[in-house]
Amino acid sequence: MQKCKKCGLPETYETIEFNDDGLCNICIQNMFKAESIDWDKRKLTLDKLIEDNRGKYEYDCILPFSGGKDSTFTLYYLMKEYGLKPLVVQFNHGFMRPTLLKNNERTFKKLGVDVVSFTPNWNIVKKVMLEALVRKGDFCWHCHSGIFAYPMHIALKYNTPLVLWGEPSTEYTAYYDYRDDEIEVVDEQRFNRYINLGITAEDMRGMVEREPGDLDPRDFTPYTYPNIRELKKLKYQSLCLGSYIPWDAKSQSKLIMDKLGWEGDQVEGMPPKLYDYEKIECHMQGVRDYIKFLKRGYSRVTQMTVLDIRNGRMTKSEADKLIADYEGKKPPSLKIFLEYLGMDETEFNNIVKKTVVAPFEPDFSKDEWSPETWDFDKLYREKN
Amino acid sequence: MGLRQTLSRKELSIGIIDIGMGNIGSVYNALYSQAWDPILVKCAEDFDELTHLIIPGVGSYAAAMKILGDWNLIDSIIDFAAEGKPTLGICLGMQLLSDVGFEGMEAKGLGLIEGETVPFEKIRGLSFPHIGWNEVLQERTHPILNGIKSGLDFYFVNGFFFNPVYSDTIIATTDYGQLFPSIIGKKNVVGVQFHPEKSQTSGLKIIDNFCLWDGKC
Amino acid sequence: MLKKRIIPIQLLLKGRLVKTKKFRDPRDVGNPVMSSKVYSSQDADELILLNVDRAADSVDVLVSTVKDIARECFVPFSVGGGINSLNDAKKLFAAGADKIIINSVTFSNPAAVTEIAEFAGSQAVVVGIDVKFIDNLYVVFSNNSKIAESVSLSEHIRTMIRLGAGEIFIQSIDRDGEMQGYDINLLKTVLSESSVPVIAAGGAGNFGHLDQALKAGVNAVACGSLFNFGDNNPLRAKAFLKNLGNPLKRIR
């Protein structure tokens, strides 16, 4: 497998392209971000955007919030820099971990904000997790779709046109490119381009129904992007904070730990203490990372070390050691995931096998497990 | 040259000429989806409250001009444009802005921008009509191109093109065996040879830009 | 320069999308309006919607689906499958189709090709040709691969162009759904006979196959299976193809 000469991301990484020097487009995009974007001008644009919306609507903006490092930083930054009145909108994917919940309570109470939280029907969630796993090798469809569609419904309901997200996708993938020097719009186009894995809620309903019409279409509303005409009438603007200030996940995490007491957590399969600010929100993160490893031959350890390499904080050989020691082991939560979906590991392997990304070939016979996290027993069990 | 909105969105009234030629549904749908409420224009009275006019078109120059004449729309269009109101011709609609067209038989056009509509030179190795995605290279800036980079591709279906008298009316060109104008403009009148309603996001942006334009350059 | 086109094929059966193998065994893959929107967001250059239903009302269902798609998708699209007359074609154009694809009617009533071309222009008429490779010969089939026609492939292409076809949509029945690659020999044969653009269909299983077909000289590549299963989409296909020097549209 070809890998980027600078950061090490392999060719199976989504949207990656290598230039003649073997450098990947994500690295190149990020170099442009560091060297060629006029961030001062961008900040002035943000100042104007905020002022144009301040006090005019029910809220100054909608702030989609997961409680991870990016959304927590986004909320903190906007409150401190501008003293806004945001409506924080949370989409509960069903696997929120205790540390995350504690962090959120602390964040909301310290900053003083209105919060709306939505939890979708668990029976539907189970059905679509299985379907998404089979079709795309990614069971998180309900989460991707819900997180990006649901806040837009809230924007319409609360007549609040400005929706502010955190990091721009161009920080990590090339669906959008810093080099285009444009503000990434978080719209339906982007939603259909890759967020929903190419499956809309309407499609998904048809796919999981046993007979046409046996599922209530309203159960799929949270995953459906609202009508563009309604959003345009609202004059909606759905933008990333990271298009106006240069994103730096590591320093931003330190900031929220310091100022808000935000706590990290151990994620299954990750080297302890090293990246405990990353992806701590979800009990199923370990399974997600494991599937990625089987499909593409790399996973979270690679992705995190890549960022450090790209920013000059780690050498490739240090990264390679961490990857060798930690990456690719089975997460204990896999057992519970299989319970939710009512299948065994063999079935699971057969499903994932069909979604493997060439040229990688996984080794399904490896049977090494990563240790349980401290809150493993807190996971919901269907047999309760 | 900017997008000064002298009227609020609610006061804008976008008209689309509908003479039953080709499918104007796509143009209508494109506008509707962007939260405009376009009006189909079929007679002189329909012009009354309009702030903007779009002339779409698919088919032949002579046939289109005949129907416009039969339905008494020619003078209304010319008067509308003379009042300085934003007027957009799409595909055949752009060609109709010319003085005369040579598609089959010679036919008189609307004469809003000096020039004639002529067939492509049949260059060996190229198939005609010109169908598909091709680059639009901007020679000048124009309000309808706000936020659109030069060199982006748009969707064309044309066997003829607009040959203007004055080169400063050429806003953008496209190459298909020969260079031809893909966007022309004179004061409040502008024409695009490609189909913005078929050119995905950039096309929709051009339509939006037009609707927000006050007709001044 | 005119760009090459990547065209996802969507098969329609009673208002839903399906996927077949060798033209048999349909399997549900989604909602045509949503799916079209998704493909358009993923930089598809055109869409092809083929109706595999042959029930009496299938063209009307097709018309209704086309209207729904036209309301939300702003990219060129062609429709085919069971179009038997100028009247059918008129309904589809009025509903919003940019081009129609006709196949069986080109044998049962070839005059229809000219009628439709005169009504909408030949650029709106795509003639679909399905072939099977039998005893070292490309045999042309009609009626959803059920009837073997006696006319030779070359003669059929020439006749269709003479009657007004604006594009040829060539599909290999043998390769359909197999994901083993296009029949490049077939493509080259068609290209040597056709003065109008050629769209290749049937067999694409990976992006390399698309590159092979484009480099063989076709104007456009159409695929169904490739984008319906696995993690593939037009965006990724285009990144791959661009890296290999194929000219593709830029819209941002």
Side-chain angles (χ1 to χ4, degrees), chain A residues 91-332:
Chain A
F91 185 88
N92 182 355
H93 43 61
F95 308 114
M96 294 171 82
R97 296 178 70 187
T99 305
L100 172 82
L101 293 171
K102 245 178 59 193
N103 278 341
N104 290 352
E105 185 178 15
R106 192 189 310 111
T107 301
F108 299 148
K109 288 186 171 166
K110 275 197 168 174
L111 292 175
V113 283
D114 288 357
V115 184
V116 160
S117 180
F118 179 83
T119 306
N121 180 333
W122 172 242
N123 290 334
I124 301 289
V125 168
K126 280 191 291 182
K127 284 189 168 56
V128 303
M129 280 204 294
L130 175 57
E131 192 67 28
L133 179 68
V134 169
R135 298 227 177 214
K136 295 284 174 180
D138 181 344
F139 64 93
C140 306
W141 180 87
H142 71 289
C143 186
H144 302 312
S145 306
I147 283 182
F148 284 94
Y150 185 73
M152 307 314 289
H153 288 281
I154 297 297
L156 286 170
K157 281 204 219 289
Y158 284 88
N159 192 39
T160 299
L162 181 60
V163 185
L164 283 173
W165 307 81
E167 77 284 15
S169 72
T170 163
E171 181 75 6
Y172 305 113
T173 52
Y175 289 106
Y176 292 83
D177 195 332
Y178 275 125
R179 288 170 293 175
D180 284 335
D181 199 16
E182 51 182 44
I183 304 296
E184 187 175 325
V185 180
V186 185
D187 60 1
E188 189 178 13
Q189 170 91 336
R190 183 178 181 270
F191 186 74
N192 286 333
R193 212 165 154 82
Y194 73 94
I195 298 282
N196 63 8
L197 311 176
I199 304 175
T200 60
E202 184 53 49
D203 289 332
M204 184 56 95
R205 180 170 61 86
M207 291 176 197
V208 298
E209 276 179 332
R210 263 183 262 262
E211 294 293 325
D214 73 354
L215 284 181
D216 190 333
R218 293 174 301 177
D219 283 335
F220 289 80
T221 305
Y223 313 111
T224 306
Y225 211 86
N227 188 278
I228 205 73
R229 192 177 146 83
E230 295 307 308
L231 289 169
K232 282 229 131 185
K233 282 202 164 168
L234 177 65
K235 296 215 187 107
Y236 86 116
Q237 285 184 285
S238 178
L239 305 159
C240 300
L241 177 60
S243 293
Y244 301 100
I245 63 170
W247 209 252
D248 180 358
K250 207 143 196 176
S251 67
Q252 286 161 0
S253 312
K254 288 209 179 73
L255 184 74
I256 55 174
M257 287 179 186
D258 183 35
K259 302 286 183 186
L260 290 173
W262 191 85
E263 286 171 11
D265 209 344
Q266 172 69 33
V267 174
E268 282 171 327
M270 292 300 285
K273 296 269 176 261
L274 212 53
Y275 297 109
D276 61 354
Y277 52 87
E278 178 71 15
K279 296 275 183 260
I280 63 159
E281 310 91 90
C282 177
H283 272 299
M284 290 293 131
Q285 187 61 39
V287 180
R288 191 167 155 61
D289 289 341
Y290 178 61
I291 293 175
K292 181 182 290 187
F293 182 79
L294 291 174
K295 275 172 75 173
R296 299 179 193 269
Y298 74 91
S299 193
R300 191 65 47 192
V301 184
T302 300
Q303 281 176 266
M304 294 317 294
T305 53
V306 155
L307 294 175
D308 275 341
I309 295 171
R310 208 179 275 147
N311 290 317
R313 294 184 186 126
M314 188 183 281
T315 64
K316 258 197 113 240
S317 60
E318 285 170 329
D320 287 339
K321 180 157 194 325
L322 284 170
I323 293 168
D325 288 342
Y326 291 96
E327 195 145 87
K329 299 200 172 55
K330 295 185 194 177

Side-chain angles (χ1 to χ4, degrees), chain B:
Chain B
M1 259 194 276
L3 285 176
R4 282 162 302 148
Q5 215 175 303
T6 50
L7 300 169
S8 78
R9 204 176 229 256
K10 283 197 190 65
E11 294 163 304
L12 297 176
S13 180
I14 323 282
I16 309 176
I17 299 274
D18 176 13
I19 51 172
M21 271 193 84
N23 165 42
I24 61 136
S26 301
V27 177
Y28 183 94
N29 287 333
L31 283 154
Y32 189 81
S33 75
Q34 302 301 296
W36 299 104
D37 292 297
I39 295 167
L40 296 180
V41 174
K42 299 176 206 251
C43 62
E45 289 70 45
D46 291 335
F47 279 79
D48 287 346
E49 307 269 306
L50 290 185
T51 57
H52 291 66
L53 183 66
I54 297 180
I55 311 169
V58 175
S60 93
Y61 194 106
M65 286 309 300
K66 180 161 194 316
I67 301 181
L68 285 175
D70 289 347
W71 292 23
N72 281 320
L73 291 171
I74 296 181
D75 289 334
S76 303
I77 296 174
I78 294 174
D79 291 342
F80 182 89
E83 284 164 34
K85 298 186 182 150
T87 306
L88 170 68
I90 296 177
C91 195
L92 176 66
M94 161 169 154
Q95 294 168 357
L96 296 177
L97 301 173
S98 62
D99 298 309
V100 62
F102 294 98
E103 187 172 341
M105 56 169 137
E106 185 176 319
K108 186 160 182 262
L110 295 167
L112 292 176
I113 301 185
E114 295 88 341
E116 49 183 29
T117 294
V118 296
F120 275 103
E121 239 182 86
K122 297 285 189 286
I123 295 174
R124 181 100 67 90
L126 293 178
S127 53
F128 292 89
H130 173 228
I131 312 175
W133 295 86
N134 205 341
E135 289 140 50
V136 170
L137 300 158
Q138 296 171 27
E139 313 266 327
R140 294 179 172 73
T141 54
H142 192 282
I144 68 161
L145 289 171
N146 192 43
I148 307 250
K149 291 187 212 149
S150 181
L152 293 186
D153 293 285
F154 288 81
Y155 187 74
F156 288 84
V157 182
N158 61 314
F160 294 77
F161 65 90
F162 189 115
N163 193 20
V165 171
Y166 301 109
S167 59
D168 65 357
T169 55
I170 301 176
I171 309 292
T173 53
T174 296
D175 185 1
Y176 192 58
Q178 59 186 123
L179 275 179
F180 69 93
S182 33
I183 306 181
I184 47 151
K186 180 181 167 188
K187 295 204 205 132
N188 56 304
V189 180
V190 66
V192 297
Q193 184 58 71
F194 49 84
H195 285 278
E197 77 283 10
K198 292 283 161 189
S199 299
Q200 298 171 310
T201 25
S202 339
L204 293 175
K205 181 93 174 81
I206 287 195
I207 290 175
D208 241 12
N209 287 342
F210 171 72
C211 294
L212 293 170
W213 183 36
D214 60 5
K216 300 195 177 65
C217 281

Side-chain angles (χ1 to χ4, degrees), chain C residues 143-156:
Chain C
N143 288 87
N144 250 359
S145 85
K146 294 197 193 74
I147 302 175
E149 296 286 337
S150 55
V151 68
S152 79
L153 176 61
S154 312
E155 208 196 301
H156 188 55

Side-chain angles (χ1 to χ4, degrees), chain A residues 268 283-287 331-338 376 379:
Chain A
E268 282 171 327
H283 272 299
M284 290 293 131
Q285 187 61 39
V287 180
S333 56
L334 177 63
K335 301 181 201 130
I336 303 185
F337 177 72
L338 296 174
F376 180 76
L379 254 172

